[in-house]
Amino acid sequence: MTGPHLGTRPAAWAAAIALSVTGSSLIGSGVAQADDISTLTSQQIADRARDALLDAHSMHLSARGNLHKGSTPMSVELTLDRSGNCDGSVDLGHSQGSARIIKHGNDVWVKPDADFWKNQVPDGGPAFAAILNGRYMRASATDPRLLALTRACDLDTVQKLVSDNADNQAGTLNKAATTTLGKASVVPLTRMRDNTTLTLYVAATGTPYPLRLTLRGDGTDATVDFSAFDKPVPTSTPPPDETFDINALLGRTTQTA
């Protein structure tokens, strides 16, 4: 029901990250401290940024823009960890709808807004919205109807994509002079792939985490920010009186059809 609309969009962001935060050396050398990574080669910095991302147990991901020509600009705000817990939201853009997402343990809660029901589920949306009346849909994390979404909420998904693409060397990698991103000192790395310029900003001090990724060109205009590394995902979940079981929801809408 909602999986194809909400789940595949965050998964696309995960794939974009994976294809950008990659390098040619083998993973497993450990995370090096960035005392002065500006003296390293562009490939060495990229490798350390990749290893730092793979070593993280949790993080916050903030993505916005469009990933390819003709796509609708959207935004994703997720705090996620390796255990598959996440808390955040997805906005499909252009008043197409948004949804809150909470996953904790074996359960997932999703609360689409009115625009989502109207635009993404035109046949049954009004009935779903009326029954839920502002409550969350609650389902098992293994429910196939929400599986794409729950997988996108797992930091392991992002890290596995990064690891699987570690040997992707397409495009020349270039290093720019150290600059600032907010209050952080960063080293920008730029690579051209498929007529798109990918720029990765790597922390120049402390652990060499990737802090921002931008994609520009050929209809693509997107930014992904990374923060809150190794900080826990919020553990609060909606109370029972603010939830509605997804199986009961589908049964109710079938009866009223």
Side-chain angles (χ1 to χ4, degrees):
M1 180 181 58
T2 58
H5 297 286
L6 290 178
T8 55
R9 297 288 189 90
W13 286 104
I17 294 166
L19 291 172
S20 306
V21 191
T22 55
S24 60
S25 67
L26 295 176
I27 295 172
S29 58
V31 177
Q33 291 298 307
D35 294 324
D36 188 6
I37 65 169
S38 62
T39 64
L40 302 178
T41 68
S42 57
Q43 190 59 65
Q44 288 173 324
I45 297 172
D47 291 344
R48 293 192 182 190
R50 184 204 60 237
D51 290 347
L53 182 62
L54 290 175
D55 194 59
H57 292 275
S58 61
M59 70 175 184
H60 182 80
L61 185 153
S62 177
R64 56 203 177 275
N66 56 293
L67 289 174
H68 54 81
K69 188 175 183 179
S71 65
T72 301
M74 64 168 290
S75 62
V76 177
E77 293 284 345
L78 286 177
T79 301
L80 61 170
D81 65 20
R82 286 184 180 179
S83 298
N85 302 309
C86 78
D87 187 295
S89 62
V90 175
D91 188 328
L92 302 180
H94 289 178
S95 300
Q96 290 299 301
S98 63
R100 282 278 294 126
I101 305 163
I102 298 172
K103 182 175 178 290
H104 189 71
N106 296 319
D107 296 300
V108 60
W109 294 261
V110 181
K111 184 166 71 171
D113 67 3
D115 283 338
F116 177 92
W117 291 119
K118 175 183 176 182
N119 294 293
Q120 307 303 323
V121 193
D123 292 334
F128 284 118
I131 294 170
L132 286 170
N133 194 26
R135 290 174 289 185
Y136 286 82
M137 293 184 293
R138 179 175 179 171
S140 166
T142 58
D143 190 308
R145 292 163 293 196
L146 298 176
L147 199 56
L149 176 62
T150 54
R151 284 175 176 168
C153 269
D154 193 341
L155 181 56
D156 273 343
T157 299
V158 179
Q159 291 175 324
K160 186 177 187 304
L161 284 168
V162 170
S163 179
D164 289 348
N165 284 277
D167 292 328
N168 190 330
Q169 301 180 57
T172 301
L173 185 65
N174 297 300
K175 178 180 70 172
T178 301
T179 185
T180 57
L181 181 65
K183 296 181 179 180
S185 178
V186 294
V187 177
L189 302 176
T190 302
R191 187 192 299 270
M192 284 290 297
R193 277 186 180 152
D194 300 324
N195 298 317
T196 300
T197 301
L198 314 176
T199 304
L200 185 68
Y201 298 85
V202 182
T205 58
T207 304
Y209 288 120
L211 299 183
R212 173 172 289 179
L213 166 68
T214 63
L215 302 92
R216 304 282 187 267
D218 198 24
T220 299
D221 185 2
T223 300
V224 184
D225 287 321
F226 309 90
S227 62
F229 290 98
D230 292 329
K231 293 185 179 180
V233 175
T235 57
S236 60
T237 58
D241 63 348
E242 293 182 15
T243 68
F244 202 104
D245 182 80
I246 191 171
N247 294 311
L249 175 66
L250 294 179
R252 288 279 297 276
T253 53
T254 298
Q255 293 171 13
T256 57

mmCIF file with all atom_site columns, all heavy atoms in Angstrom, residues 150-177:
data_model
loop_
_atom_site.group_PDB
_atom_site.id
_atom_site.type_symbol
_atom_site.label_atom_id
_atom_site.label_alt_id
_atom_site.label_comp_id
_atom_site.label_asym_id
_atom_site.label_entity_id
_atom_site.label_seq_id
_atom_site.pdbx_PDB_ins_code
_atom_site.Cartn_x
_atom_site.Cartn_y
_atom_site.Cartn_z
_atom_site.occupancy
_atom_site.B_iso_or_equiv
_atom_site.pdbx_formal_charge
_atom_site.auth_seq_id
_atom_site.auth_comp_id
_atom_site.auth_asym_id
_atom_site.auth_atom_id
_atom_site.pdbx_PDB_model_num
ATOM 1   N N   . THR A 1 150 ? 10.830 -0.199 5.662   1.00 0.00 ? 150 THR A N   1
ATOM 2   C CA  . THR A 1 150 ? 11.586 -0.620 6.840   1.00 0.00 ? 150 THR A CA  1
ATOM 3   C C   . THR A 1 150 ? 13.045 -0.893 6.490   1.00 0.00 ? 150 THR A C   1
ATOM 4   O O   . THR A 1 150 ? 13.942 -0.639 7.300   1.00 0.00 ? 150 THR A O   1
ATOM 5   C CB  . THR A 1 150 ? 10.947 -1.863 7.486   1.00 0.00 ? 150 THR A CB  1
ATOM 6   O OG1 . THR A 1 150 ? 10.805 -2.906 6.514   1.00 0.00 ? 150 THR A OG1 1
ATOM 7   C CG2 . THR A 1 150 ? 9.577  -1.541 8.037   1.00 0.00 ? 150 THR A CG2 1
ATOM 8   N N   . ARG A 1 151 ? 13.303 -1.378 5.304   1.00 0.00 ? 151 ARG A N   1
ATOM 9   C CA  . ARG A 1 151 ? 14.694 -1.592 4.898   1.00 0.00 ? 151 ARG A CA  1
ATOM 10  C C   . ARG A 1 151 ? 15.428 -0.263 4.750   1.00 0.00 ? 151 ARG A C   1
ATOM 11  O O   . ARG A 1 151 ? 16.606 -0.153 5.088   1.00 0.00 ? 151 ARG A O   1
ATOM 12  C CB  . ARG A 1 151 ? 14.741 -2.372 3.582   1.00 0.00 ? 151 ARG A CB  1
ATOM 13  C CG  . ARG A 1 151 ? 14.440 -3.860 3.745   1.00 0.00 ? 151 ARG A CG  1
ATOM 14  C CD  . ARG A 1 151 ? 14.386 -4.559 2.401   1.00 0.00 ? 151 ARG A CD  1
ATOM 15  N NE  . ARG A 1 151 ? 14.201 -6.000 2.560   1.00 0.00 ? 151 ARG A NE  1
ATOM 16  C CZ  . ARG A 1 151 ? 13.897 -6.820 1.562   1.00 0.00 ? 151 ARG A CZ  1
ATOM 17  N NH1 . ARG A 1 151 ? 13.746 -6.332 0.336   1.00 0.00 ? 151 ARG A NH1 1
ATOM 18  N NH2 . ARG A 1 151 ? 13.738 -8.108 1.787   1.00 0.00 ? 151 ARG A NH2 1
ATOM 19  N N   . ALA A 1 152 ? 14.739 0.736  4.224   1.00 0.00 ? 152 ALA A N   1
ATOM 20  C CA  . ALA A 1 152 ? 15.354 2.054  4.054   1.00 0.00 ? 152 ALA A CA  1
ATOM 21  C C   . ALA A 1 152 ? 15.649 2.708  5.394   1.00 0.00 ? 152 ALA A C   1
ATOM 22  O O   . ALA A 1 152 ? 16.483 3.611  5.488   1.00 0.00 ? 152 ALA A O   1
ATOM 23  C CB  . ALA A 1 152 ? 14.451 2.953  3.221   1.00 0.00 ? 152 ALA A CB  1
ATOM 24  N N   . CYS A 1 153 ? 14.970 2.258  6.457   1.00 0.00 ? 153 CYS A N   1
ATOM 25  C CA  . CYS A 1 153 ? 15.168 2.810  7.796   1.00 0.00 ? 153 CYS A CA  1
ATOM 26  C C   . CYS A 1 153 ? 16.351 2.183  8.517   1.00 0.00 ? 153 CYS A C   1
ATOM 27  O O   . CYS A 1 153 ? 16.614 2.526  9.661   1.00 0.00 ? 153 CYS A O   1
ATOM 28  C CB  . CYS A 1 153 ? 13.907 2.581  8.640   1.00 0.00 ? 153 CYS A CB  1
ATOM 29  S SG  . CYS A 1 153 ? 12.731 3.941  8.545   1.00 0.00 ? 153 CYS A SG  1
ATOM 30  N N   . ASP A 1 154 ? 17.048 1.267  7.874   1.00 0.00 ? 154 ASP A N   1
ATOM 31  C CA  . ASP A 1 154 ? 18.120 0.515  8.519   1.00 0.00 ? 154 ASP A CA  1
ATOM 32  C C   . ASP A 1 154 ? 19.477 1.037  8.051   1.00 0.00 ? 154 ASP A C   1
ATOM 33  O O   . ASP A 1 154 ? 19.755 1.049  6.845   1.00 0.00 ? 154 ASP A O   1
ATOM 34  C CB  . ASP A 1 154 ? 17.959 -0.968 8.174   1.00 0.00 ? 154 ASP A CB  1
ATOM 35  C CG  . ASP A 1 154 ? 18.821 -1.873 9.030   1.00 0.00 ? 154 ASP A CG  1
ATOM 36  O OD1 . ASP A 1 154 ? 19.805 -1.371 9.627   1.00 0.00 ? 154 ASP A OD1 1
ATOM 37  O OD2 . ASP A 1 154 ? 18.522 -3.075 9.098   1.00 0.00 ? 154 ASP A OD2 1
ATOM 38  N N   . LEU A 1 155 ? 20.322 1.479  8.976   1.00 0.00 ? 155 LEU A N   1
ATOM 39  C CA  . LEU A 1 155 ? 21.652 1.955  8.613   1.00 0.00 ? 155 LEU A CA  1
ATOM 40  C C   . LEU A 1 155 ? 22.461 0.851  7.936   1.00 0.00 ? 155 LEU A C   1
ATOM 41  O O   . LEU A 1 155 ? 23.307 1.135  7.081   1.00 0.00 ? 155 LEU A O   1
ATOM 42  C CB  . LEU A 1 155 ? 22.392 2.461  9.852   1.00 0.00 ? 155 LEU A CB  1
ATOM 43  C CG  . LEU A 1 155 ? 23.806 3.010  9.634   1.00 0.00 ? 155 LEU A CG  1
ATOM 44  C CD1 . LEU A 1 155 ? 23.818 4.131  8.600   1.00 0.00 ? 155 LEU A CD1 1
ATOM 45  C CD2 . LEU A 1 155 ? 24.405 3.492  10.954  1.00 0.00 ? 155 LEU A CD2 1
ATOM 46  N N   . ASP A 1 156 ? 22.192 -0.402 8.281   1.00 0.00 ? 156 ASP A N   1
ATOM 47  C CA  . ASP A 1 156 ? 22.878 -1.518 7.631   1.00 0.00 ? 156 ASP A CA  1
ATOM 48  C C   . ASP A 1 156 ? 22.653 -1.494 6.122   1.00 0.00 ? 156 ASP A C   1
ATOM 49  O O   . ASP A 1 156 ? 23.529 -1.896 5.344   1.00 0.00 ? 156 ASP A O   1
ATOM 50  C CB  . ASP A 1 156 ? 22.400 -2.861 8.195   1.00 0.00 ? 156 ASP A CB  1
ATOM 51  C CG  . ASP A 1 156 ? 23.188 -3.270 9.427   1.00 0.00 ? 156 ASP A CG  1
ATOM 52  O OD1 . ASP A 1 156 ? 24.275 -2.705 9.660   1.00 0.00 ? 156 ASP A OD1 1
ATOM 53  O OD2 . ASP A 1 156 ? 22.728 -4.167 10.154  1.00 0.00 ? 156 ASP A OD2 1
ATOM 54  N N   . THR A 1 157 ? 21.471 -1.040 5.677   1.00 0.00 ? 157 THR A N   1
ATOM 55  C CA  . THR A 1 157 ? 21.185 -0.971 4.248   1.00 0.00 ? 157 THR A CA  1
ATOM 56  C C   . THR A 1 157 ? 22.150 -0.022 3.559   1.00 0.00 ? 157 THR A C   1
ATOM 57  O O   . THR A 1 157 ? 22.733 -0.344 2.514   1.00 0.00 ? 157 THR A O   1
ATOM 58  C CB  . THR A 1 157 ? 19.734 -0.499 4.003   1.00 0.00 ? 157 THR A CB  1
ATOM 59  O OG1 . THR A 1 157 ? 18.829 -1.430 4.594   1.00 0.00 ? 157 THR A OG1 1
ATOM 60  C CG2 . THR A 1 157 ? 19.440 -0.383 2.512   1.00 0.00 ? 157 THR A CG2 1
ATOM 61  N N   . VAL A 1 158 ? 22.329 1.169  4.143   1.00 0.00 ? 158 VAL A N   1
ATOM 62  C CA  . VAL A 1 158 ? 23.259 2.149  3.582   1.00 0.00 ? 158 VAL A CA  1
ATOM 63  C C   . VAL A 1 158 ? 24.676 1.607  3.607   1.00 0.00 ? 158 VAL A C   1
ATOM 64  O O   . VAL A 1 158 ? 25.409 1.674  2.606   1.00 0.00 ? 158 VAL A O   1
ATOM 65  C CB  . VAL A 1 158 ? 23.178 3.474  4.360   1.00 0.00 ? 158 VAL A CB  1
ATOM 66  C CG1 . VAL A 1 158 ? 24.171 4.492  3.791   1.00 0.00 ? 158 VAL A CG1 1
ATOM 67  C CG2 . VAL A 1 158 ? 21.772 4.039  4.313   1.00 0.00 ? 158 VAL A CG2 1
ATOM 68  N N   . GLN A 1 159 ? 25.093 1.041  4.742   1.00 0.00 ? 159 GLN A N   1
ATOM 69  C CA  . GLN A 1 159 ? 26.463 0.580  4.883   1.00 0.00 ? 159 GLN A CA  1
ATOM 70  C C   . GLN A 1 159 ? 26.777 -0.596 3.960   1.00 0.00 ? 159 GLN A C   1
ATOM 71  O O   . GLN A 1 159 ? 27.872 -0.698 3.419   1.00 0.00 ? 159 GLN A O   1
ATOM 72  C CB  . GLN A 1 159 ? 26.736 0.221  6.346   1.00 0.00 ? 159 GLN A CB  1
ATOM 73  C CG  . GLN A 1 159 ? 26.754 1.453  7.244   1.00 0.00 ? 159 GLN A CG  1
ATOM 74  C CD  . GLN A 1 159 ? 26.902 1.107  8.718   1.00 0.00 ? 159 GLN A CD  1
ATOM 75  O OE1 . GLN A 1 159 ? 26.369 0.102  9.193   1.00 0.00 ? 159 GLN A OE1 1
ATOM 76  N NE2 . GLN A 1 159 ? 27.617 1.951  9.439   1.00 0.00 ? 159 GLN A NE2 1
ATOM 77  N N   . LYS A 1 160 ? 25.804 -1.477 3.758   1.00 0.00 ? 160 LYS A N   1
ATOM 78  C CA  . LYS A 1 160 ? 26.027 -2.604 2.845   1.00 0.00 ? 160 LYS A CA  1
ATOM 79  C C   . LYS A 1 160 ? 26.179 -2.116 1.411   1.00 0.00 ? 160 LYS A C   1
ATOM 80  O O   . LYS A 1 160 ? 27.026 -2.611 0.655   1.00 0.00 ? 160 LYS A O   1
ATOM 81  C CB  . LYS A 1 160 ? 24.883 -3.610 2.930   1.00 0.00 ? 160 LYS A CB  1
ATOM 82  C CG  . LYS A 1 160 ? 25.124 -4.883 2.096   1.00 0.00 ? 160 LYS A CG  1
ATOM 83  C CD  . LYS A 1 160 ? 24.017 -5.884 2.258   1.00 0.00 ? 160 LYS A CD  1
ATOM 84  C CE  . LYS A 1 160 ? 24.379 -7.196 1.555   1.00 0.00 ? 160 LYS A CE  1
ATOM 85  N NZ  . LYS A 1 160 ? 24.703 -7.022 0.120   1.00 0.00 ? 160 LYS A NZ  1
ATOM 86  N N   . LEU A 1 161 ? 25.365 -1.129 1.018   1.00 0.00 ? 161 LEU A N   1
ATOM 87  C CA  . LEU A 1 161 ? 25.496 -0.573 -0.327  1.00 0.00 ? 161 LEU A CA  1
ATOM 88  C C   . LEU A 1 161 ? 26.870 0.075  -0.513  1.00 0.00 ? 161 LEU A C   1
ATOM 89  O O   . LEU A 1 161 ? 27.497 -0.059 -1.567  1.00 0.00 ? 161 LEU A O   1
ATOM 90  C CB  . LEU A 1 161 ? 24.394 0.451  -0.577  1.00 0.00 ? 161 LEU A CB  1
ATOM 91  C CG  . LEU A 1 161 ? 22.998 -0.119 -0.849  1.00 0.00 ? 161 LEU A CG  1
ATOM 92  C CD1 . LEU A 1 161 ? 21.958 0.991  -0.774  1.00 0.00 ? 161 LEU A CD1 1
ATOM 93  C CD2 . LEU A 1 161 ? 22.951 -0.802 -2.207  1.00 0.00 ? 161 LEU A CD2 1
ATOM 94  N N   . VAL A 1 162 ? 27.334 0.779  0.506   1.00 0.00 ? 162 VAL A N   1
ATOM 95  C CA  . VAL A 1 162 ? 28.663 1.398  0.450   1.00 0.00 ? 162 VAL A CA  1
ATOM 96  C C   . VAL A 1 162 ? 29.729 0.331  0.304   1.00 0.00 ? 162 VAL A C   1
ATOM 97  O O   . VAL A 1 162 ? 30.635 0.418  -0.529  1.00 0.00 ? 162 VAL A O   1
ATOM 98  C CB  . VAL A 1 162 ? 28.917 2.262  1.696   1.00 0.00 ? 162 VAL A CB  1
ATOM 99  C CG1 . VAL A 1 162 ? 30.381 2.699  1.757   1.00 0.00 ? 162 VAL A CG1 1
ATOM 100 C CG2 . VAL A 1 162 ? 27.998 3.476  1.702   1.00 0.00 ? 162 VAL A CG2 1
ATOM 101 N N   . SER A 1 163 ? 29.636 -0.724 1.124   1.00 0.00 ? 163 SER A N   1
ATOM 102 C CA  . SER A 1 163 ? 30.616 -1.804 1.084   1.00 0.00 ? 163 SER A CA  1
ATOM 103 C C   . SER A 1 163 ? 30.610 -2.527 -0.258  1.00 0.00 ? 163 SER A C   1
ATOM 104 O O   . SER A 1 163 ? 31.658 -2.812 -0.841  1.00 0.00 ? 163 SER A O   1
ATOM 105 C CB  . SER A 1 163 ? 30.323 -2.808 2.209   1.00 0.00 ? 163 SER A CB  1
ATOM 106 O OG  . SER A 1 163 ? 31.249 -3.879 2.181   1.00 0.00 ? 163 SER A OG  1
ATOM 107 N N   . ASP A 1 164 ? 29.409 -2.796 -0.779  1.00 0.00 ? 164 ASP A N   1
ATOM 108 C CA  . ASP A 1 164 ? 29.296 -3.521 -2.045  1.00 0.00 ? 164 ASP A CA  1
ATOM 109 C C   . ASP A 1 164 ? 29.849 -2.724 -3.219  1.00 0.00 ? 164 ASP A C   1
ATOM 110 O O   . ASP A 1 164 ? 30.238 -3.302 -4.242  1.00 0.00 ? 164 ASP A O   1
ATOM 111 C CB  . ASP A 1 164 ? 27.833 -3.879 -2.329  1.00 0.00 ? 164 ASP A CB  1
ATOM 112 C CG  . ASP A 1 164 ? 27.306 -4.972 -1.401  1.00 0.00 ? 164 ASP A CG  1
ATOM 113 O OD1 . ASP A 1 164 ? 28.133 -5.601 -0.713  1.00 0.00 ? 164 ASP A OD1 1
ATOM 114 O OD2 . ASP A 1 164 ? 26.082 -5.177 -1.361  1.00 0.00 ? 164 ASP A OD2 1
ATOM 115 N N   . ASN A 1 165 ? 29.883 -1.395 -3.091  1.00 0.00 ? 165 ASN A N   1
ATOM 116 C CA  . ASN A 1 165 ? 30.366 -0.537 -4.174  1.00 0.00 ? 165 ASN A CA  1
ATOM 117 C C   . ASN A 1 165 ? 31.777 -0.020 -3.931  1.00 0.00 ? 165 ASN A C   1
ATOM 118 O O   . ASN A 1 165 ? 32.213 0.937  -4.577  1.00 0.00 ? 165 ASN A O   1
ATOM 119 C CB  . ASN A 1 165 ? 29.416 0.645  -4.367  1.00 0.00 ? 165 ASN A CB  1
ATOM 120 C CG  . ASN A 1 165 ? 28.139 0.240  -5.075  1.00 0.00 ? 165 ASN A CG  1
ATOM 121 O OD1 . ASN A 1 165 ? 28.089 0.155  -6.292  1.00 0.00 ? 165 ASN A OD1 1
ATOM 122 N ND2 . ASN A 1 165 ? 27.093 -0.024 -4.308  1.00 0.00 ? 165 ASN A ND2 1
ATOM 123 N N   . ALA A 1 166 ? 32.491 -0.658 -3.022  1.00 0.00 ? 166 ALA A N   1
ATOM 124 C CA  . ALA A 1 166 ? 33.810 -0.156 -2.624  1.00 0.00 ? 166 ALA A CA  1
ATOM 125 C C   . ALA A 1 166 ? 34.814 -0.143 -3.772  1.00 0.00 ? 166 ALA A C   1
ATOM 126 O O   . ALA A 1 166 ? 35.775 0.627  -3.753  1.00 0.00 ? 166 ALA A O   1
ATOM 127 C CB  . ALA A 1 166 ? 34.364 -0.989 -1.471  1.00 0.00 ? 166 ALA A CB  1
ATOM 128 N N   . ASP A 1 167 ? 34.618 -0.977 -4.785  1.00 0.00 ? 167 ASP A N   1
ATOM 129 C CA  . ASP A 1 167 ? 35.577 -1.033 -5.893  1.00 0.00 ? 167 ASP A CA  1
ATOM 130 C C   . ASP A 1 167 ? 35.156 -0.185 -7.085  1.00 0.00 ? 167 ASP A C   1
ATOM 131 O O   . ASP A 1 167 ? 35.780 -0.231 -8.137  1.00 0.00 ? 167 ASP A O   1
ATOM 132 C CB  . ASP A 1 167 ? 35.759 -2.490 -6.351  1.00 0.00 ? 167 ASP A CB  1
ATOM 133 C CG  . ASP A 1 167 ? 36.455 -3.337 -5.287  1.00 0.00 ? 167 ASP A CG  1
ATOM 134 O OD1 . ASP A 1 167 ? 37.296 -2.777 -4.555  1.00 0.00 ? 167 ASP A OD1 1
ATOM 135 O OD2 . ASP A 1 167 ? 36.144 -4.537 -5.193  1.00 0.00 ? 167 ASP A OD2 1
ATOM 136 N N   . ASN A 1 168 ? 34.105 0.592  -6.931  1.00 0.00 ? 168 ASN A N   1
ATOM 137 C CA  . ASN A 1 168 ? 33.633 1.438  -8.021  1.00 0.00 ? 168 ASN A CA  1
ATOM 138 C C   . ASN A 1 168 ? 34.541 2.661  -8.140  1.00 0.00 ? 168 ASN A C   1
ATOM 139 O O   . ASN A 1 168 ? 34.542 3.528  -7.283  1.00 0.00 ? 168 ASN A O   1
ATOM 140 C CB  . ASN A 1 168 ? 32.188 1.881  -7.753  1.00 0.00 ? 168 ASN A CB  1
ATOM 141 C CG  . ASN A 1 168 ? 31.562 2.567  -8.951  1.00 0.00 ? 168 ASN A CG  1
ATOM 142 O OD1 . ASN A 1 168 ? 32.243 3.194  -9.747  1.00 0.00 ? 168 ASN A OD1 1
ATOM 143 N ND2 . ASN A 1 168 ? 30.245 2.450  -9.066  1.00 0.00 ? 168 ASN A ND2 1
ATOM 144 N N   . GLN A 1 169 ? 35.329 2.716  -9.200  1.00 0.00 ? 169 GLN A N   1
ATOM 145 C CA  . GLN A 1 169 ? 36.290 3.813  -9.377  1.00 0.00 ? 169 GLN A CA  1
ATOM 146 C C   . GLN A 1 169 ? 35.919 4.724  -10.540 1.00 0.00 ? 169 GLN A C   1
ATOM 147 O O   . GLN A 1 169 ? 36.760 5.476  -11.036 1.00 0.00 ? 169 GLN A O   1
ATOM 148 C CB  . GLN A 1 169 ? 37.690 3.244  -9.609  1.00 0.00 ? 169 GLN A CB  1
ATOM 149 C CG  . GLN A 1 169 ? 38.191 2.364  -8.469  1.00 0.00 ? 169 GLN A CG  1
ATOM 150 C CD  . GLN A 1 169 ? 39.573 1.827  -8.749  1.00 0.00 ? 169 GLN A CD  1
ATOM 151 O OE1 . GLN A 1 169 ? 40.507 2.580  -8.981  1.00 0.00 ? 169 GLN A OE1 1
ATOM 152 N NE2 . GLN A 1 169 ? 39.722 0.518  -8.732  1.00 0.00 ? 169 GLN A NE2 1
ATOM 153 N N   . ALA A 1 170 ? 34.674 4.665  -10.988 1.00 0.00 ? 170 ALA A N   1
ATOM 154 C CA  . ALA A 1 170 ? 34.270 5.481  -12.134 1.00 0.00 ? 170 ALA A CA  1
ATOM 155 C C   . ALA A 1 170 ? 34.440 6.966  -11.835 1.00 0.00 ? 170 ALA A C   1
ATOM 156 O O   . ALA A 1 170 ? 34.020 7.438  -10.792 1.00 0.00 ? 170 ALA A O   1
ATOM 157 C CB  . ALA A 1 170 ? 32.813 5.184  -12.501 1.00 0.00 ? 170 ALA A CB  1
ATOM 158 N N   . GLY A 1 171 ? 35.048 7.699  -12.742 1.00 0.00 ? 171 GLY A N   1
ATOM 159 C CA  . GLY A 1 171 ? 35.225 9.133  -12.571 1.00 0.00 ? 171 GLY A CA  1
ATOM 160 C C   . GLY A 1 171 ? 36.500 9.480  -11.833 1.00 0.00 ? 171 GLY A C   1
ATOM 161 O O   . GLY A 1 171 ? 36.935 8.755  -10.939 1.00 0.00 ? 171 GLY A O   1
ATOM 162 N N   . THR A 1 172 ? 37.131 10.579 -12.212 1.00 0.00 ? 172 THR A N   1
ATOM 163 C CA  . THR A 1 172 ? 38.359 11.035 -11.558 1.00 0.00 ? 172 THR A CA  1
ATOM 164 C C   . THR A 1 172 ? 38.027 11.759 -10.260 1.00 0.00 ? 172 THR A C   1
ATOM 165 O O   . THR A 1 172 ? 37.150 12.618 -10.221 1.00 0.00 ? 172 THR A O   1
ATOM 166 C CB  . THR A 1 172 ? 39.141 11.980 -12.482 1.00 0.00 ? 172 THR A CB  1
ATOM 167 O OG1 . THR A 1 172 ? 39.451 11.291 -13.700 1.00 0.00 ? 172 THR A OG1 1
ATOM 168 C CG2 . THR A 1 172 ? 40.428 12.444 -11.816 1.00 0.00 ? 172 THR A CG2 1
ATOM 169 N N   . LEU A 1 173 ? 38.724 11.396 -9.195  1.00 0.00 ? 173 LEU A N   1
ATOM 170 C CA  . LEU A 1 173 ? 38.499 11.990 -7.882  1.00 0.00 ? 173 LEU A CA  1
ATOM 171 C C   . LEU A 1 173 ? 39.497 13.122 -7.658  1.00 0.00 ? 173 LEU A C   1
ATOM 172 O O   . LEU A 1 173 ? 40.704 12.932 -7.781  1.00 0.00 ? 173 LEU A O   1
ATOM 173 C CB  . LEU A 1 173 ? 38.655 10.922 -6.804  1.00 0.00 ? 173 LEU A CB  1
ATOM 174 C CG  . LEU A 1 173 ? 38.332 11.324 -5.363  1.00 0.00 ? 173 LEU A CG  1
ATOM 175 C CD1 . LEU A 1 173 ? 36.849 11.652 -5.232  1.00 0.00 ? 173 LEU A CD1 1
ATOM 176 C CD2 . LEU A 1 173 ? 38.691 10.177 -4.411  1.00 0.00 ? 173 LEU A CD2 1
ATOM 177 N N   . ASN A 1 174 ? 38.995 14.303 -7.335  1.00 0.00 ? 174 ASN A N   1
ATOM 178 C CA  . ASN A 1 174 ? 39.844 15.468 -7.118  1.00 0.00 ? 174 ASN A CA  1
ATOM 179 C C   . ASN A 1 174 ? 39.626 16.048 -5.723  1.00 0.00 ? 174 ASN A C   1
ATOM 180 O O   . ASN A 1 174 ? 38.516 16.007 -5.191  1.00 0.00 ? 174 ASN A O   1
ATOM 181 C CB  . ASN A 1 174 ? 39.539 16.547 -8.163  1.00 0.00 ? 174 ASN A CB  1
ATOM 182 C CG  . ASN A 1 174 ? 39.851 16.086 -9.575  1.00 0.00 ? 174 ASN A CG  1
ATOM 183 O OD1 . ASN A 1 174 ? 40.985 15.742 -9.891  1.00 0.00 ? 174 ASN A OD1 1
ATOM 184 N ND2 . ASN A 1 174 ? 38.840 16.077 -10.431 1.00 0.00 ? 174 ASN A ND2 1
ATOM 185 N N   . LYS A 1 175 ? 40.689 16.618 -5.164  1.00 0.00 ? 175 LYS A N   1
ATOM 186 C CA  . LYS A 1 175 ? 40.641 17.226 -3.830  1.00 0.00 ? 175 LYS A CA  1
ATOM 187 C C   . LYS A 1 175 ? 40.761 18.737 -3.961  1.00 0.00 ? 175 LYS A C   1
ATOM 188 O O   . LYS A 1 175 ? 41.610 19.247 -4.690  1.00 0.00 ? 175 LYS A O   1
ATOM 189 C CB  . LYS A 1 175 ? 41.781 16.682 -2.966  1.00 0.00 ? 175 LYS A CB  1
ATOM 190 C CG  . LYS A 1 175 ? 41.866 17.284 -1.582  1.00 0.00 ? 175 LYS A CG  1
ATOM 191 C CD  . LYS A 1 175 ? 43.028 16.699 -0.789  1.00 0.00 ? 175 LYS A CD  1
ATOM 192 C CE  . LYS A 1 175 ? 44.364 17.161 -1.336  1.00 0.00 ? 175 LYS A CE  1
ATOM 193 N NZ  . LYS A 1 175 ? 45.504 16.755 -0.477  1.00 0.00 ? 175 LYS A NZ  1
ATOM 194 N N   . ALA A 1 176 ? 39.892 19.454 -3.222  1.00 0.00 ? 176 ALA A N   1
ATOM 195 C CA  . ALA A 1 176 ? 39.955 20.913 -3.206  1.00 0.00 ? 176 ALA A CA  1
ATOM 196 C C   . ALA A 1 176 ? 40.580 21.369 -1.889  1.00 0.00 ? 176 ALA A C   1
ATOM 197 O O   . ALA A 1 176 ? 40.820 20.572 -0.975  1.00 0.00 ? 176 ALA A O   1
ATOM 198 C CB  . ALA A 1 176 ? 38.566 21.506 -3.379  1.00 0.00 ? 176 ALA A CB  1
ATOM 199 N N   . ALA A 1 177 ? 40.826 22.664 -1.777  1.00 0.00 ? 177 ALA A N   1
ATOM 200 C CA  . ALA A 1 177 ? 41.431 23.208 -0.565  1.00 0.00 ? 177 ALA A CA  1
ATOM 201 C C   . ALA A 1 177 ? 40.479 23.101 0.620   1.00 0.00 ? 177 ALA A C   1
ATOM 202 O O   . ALA A 1 177 ? 39.246 23.146 0.456   1.00 0.00 ? 177 ALA A O   1
ATOM 203 C CB  . ALA A 1 177 ? 41.804 24.666 -0.796  1.00 0.00 ? 177 ALA A CB  1
#
